[in-house]
Amino acid sequence: MKKVVKFGGSSLASAAQFKKVGEIIHADADRKFVVPSAPGKRNSKDTKVTDMLYATYAYAEAGNDFSKALAQIKNRYQEIIDGLCLNLSLDAEFEEIAKQFKNKAGSDYAASRGEYLNGIIMANYLGYEFINPAEVIFFDENGEFMADKTDEILSQRLKNVERAVIPGFFGAKEDGTVKTFSRGGSDITGSIVARAVKADIYENWTDVSGCLIADPRIVDNPKPINTVTYRELRELSYMGASVLHEDAIFPVRKAGIPINIKNTNAPKDPGTWIVESTCQKPPYTITGIAGKKGFCAINIEKDMMNGEIGFGRKVLQVFEENGISFEHMPSGIDTMTIIVHQSEFMEKEQRVLAGIHKLAEPDSIEMESDLALIAVVGRGMKAAKGTASRIFATLAHSNINVKMIDQGSSELNIIIGVKEADFETAIRQIYSIFVDTALEKSKK
Ligand code: ASP
């Protein structure tokens, strides 16, 4: 068996956390490839090393003396090195970083040093080979990740390597310039490495015991999700559930490798399994609920709209020409509604309205802002009858007006639009009707 293990920033924030990680790795000989993040927060008031690096670089770029700020970052690493009693000096590395900052090497280079240095410490601590991602993970000149080239070179590089540390978050363009993924991108590196070594499992270690059915800031003590499919997770993370970077699914999905989200501070907890597909019945009809605020609906009316060929295209063309992507598009016989992100739409609002009037000549256009979208996701919904009716009955009982409904043909999710003020109550009610009710039934 071969496992790739990625550890998040809070799992590597201090020497004490490093020791927990060391124990986890040594407890299972299959944990052969380790992908570390940069040191995260040690407590709620602390600053992530990545944020310190971005800030220090901005300060340096503006021509200031950044030596003190860089020394603070060095201290964070020195504390870890001392706490682990390692015979390791990062002096030469920090001299090089200072030189590169003066040469304006770029904020991607700066941020990437967080993972790079933590990788050096981790490799030294474990006695594993260190692999520089800049030599094996590639981006094209536009900054797009090159999946196939990376897979080819990385799998070749790791072919005869027994155990290695590959820092997360970055790679390089073909000309050697360092390039990072977006924030939280070490999750993607872990997935890339798992694909390259054809791992059996990609373990993603963080500070929670997996994904929860709903946001714990909204629902008290939500139940964990034991198993979720890639597609379900994609729907949930798109709508704001944030345990894993949303792009981290793609490399392992290609290779059919399951992801196991685990908790460094509670390693015995089973965590969440993210899989291609499963026969395992979910304990509830729904797998998860997620949602986001900040949407706006544009309702367009025109008599006989349905018979007018090209009406929808003309409307969508206006959005396209203004560079606005739409989220949903429910329609009736004489009406069509476009749901967009309010922040994207606001500044172009009048241009879009004028464009629709000019191109599609509707009878009227009305707008409604401050909407929230809620996604109720679950592979179990396909087989269950009455899911939608349960959702809408509970919302009606709570006096919540449903503004929009969209159910994909896959029957994997139902999207509901409500006023922002009803958002939290709606999520709590939906959670309760599926999870609490099922729990009560099972007790009887
Ligand atoms: N250190 C980077 C960040 O804070 C990447 C990561 O942790 O995945 O975003």
Side-chain angles (χ1 to χ4, degrees), residues 6 9 37-38 48 50 115 169 182-187:
K6 178 259 168 179
S37 279
K48 285 177 160 197
T50 309
E115 273 63 16
F169 194 37
S182 57
R183 294 299 302 264
S186 299
D187 286 341

Side-chain angles (χ1 to χ4, degrees), residues 249-288:
I249 285 173
F250 298 116
V252 281
R253 186 176 185 168
K254 269 211 163 111
I257 301 164
I259 308 173
N260 190 193
I261 309 274
K262 298 273 288 173
N263 189 349
T264 301
N265 305 317
K268 293 225 154 63
D269 285 359
T272 297
W273 283 92
I274 306 167
V275 299
E276 166 87 60
S277 67
T278 173
C279 284
Q280 270 187 45
K281 287 222 170 55
Y284 315 103
T285 310
I286 59 161
T287 303

